Amino acid sequence: MSSTHPDESFFSSLAQPGIQRLRAYDPGHDLVAFRRRFEGRFLVELGSNENPYGPSAKAKEAVLGTIHDSFRYPDPLGGDLKRALAAKHGVEAASILLGNGSHELLMQFAQVFAGPGADVVASKYGFAVYAIAAQAAGATLHVAPCNADDHAMPRGHDLDAIAVTITPTTRLVYIANPNNPTGTWFGADAFAAFMAKVPADVLVVVDEAYAEFVDAPEWASALSLIQTHPNLVVTRTFSKAYALAGLRVGYAIAHPGLIAVMERVRESFNVNSAGLAAAEAALGDDEHLRWVVARNAEQRASLAEALRARGLMVFPSQTSFLLVKFAEPGDEARVARIDAALIDAGVVLRPMGGYGLGHCLRITVGNADENRRLLAELDKVLA
């Protein structure tokens, strides 16, 4: 094609091989368009796992306090937030890396530690960003099978299968606990046994975006193993339980030497001033966090019960969402019709076709009013 009238294929041919084959992250439905479409009406947004209760009042106040200095660059080191996080997690500040959401960090770990000739391992039905990160870095992704659909833990990570998938060319393993999009989790003992099998030169990145919502007694944060496993990384975010999704603040905790290498590629001023201030304030408001987590647990249990009462299969969850089976595999068209009908009624869920789970929809646990509206509209659609 003439370079005077290029199209996407022309520019794709100029990109690196990994990027040529890459598909952009799918955020689901176009929520901005739906907000315009339903302006002035009650739009129930249950597709992005956002916190329906909003951030701490202290976080809101902190954001307002940054406005008068908005002409200044933010602290390039994020020092105050790092020190607050270090105190909370009992680590040194040098062990913390800040990101524009944890998404940025997940991408950068592959950029730094993987690449052409290297392998990345993730589990089937894992977060879509892991595959994108591997491919963007030019690495080869190997997908380990998940657990069988048993009653206790359907579609959960099979840590033994992940360990077997690691080879001498593996440089990076991505694991989410609890997992998005399934909501499933694994216990502390199982993870400790897994880490004992992982070679020291293979980095294990544990994505704990939903950690604050967990109440399963067998679960424990991978942070407890950081001191004994220098190849272990834990990522967290302020987007979920802390309700700061719009401000984009995430962080990683790992060995200071590992963090120092990551700092070489961190973008200058990658976390804005409002985000830094809000995250620090939110971190200090334990009362609001406890209240949010308690409300989520209540609504998660009641919504799951209500959906099961309607004959739907609801996967166990330790997160702020539920994965729900609406049809048998192969009948994805029925699920698409249900999804479209709910959208017409002003209720937005998350299609799962991109994860190979097109017979399911993921439902954010809303507040009581949102969940009542969902169930009322769902009854009409299913009828």
Side-chain angles (χ1 to χ4, degrees), residues 1-11:
M1 180 170 193
S2 171
S3 60
T4 58
H5 298 286
D7 59 9
E8 182 179 348
S9 63
F10 169 75
F11 292 108

Side-chain angles (χ1 to χ4, degrees), residues 352-376:
M352 289 284 100
Y355 284 92
L357 295 166
H359 58 298
C360 299
L361 293 169
R362 194 188 66 193
I363 304 175
T364 303
V365 177
N367 60 33
D369 289 341
E370 290 171 327
N371 292 338
R372 278 194 292 267
R373 171 73 180 280
L374 161 68
L375 293 169

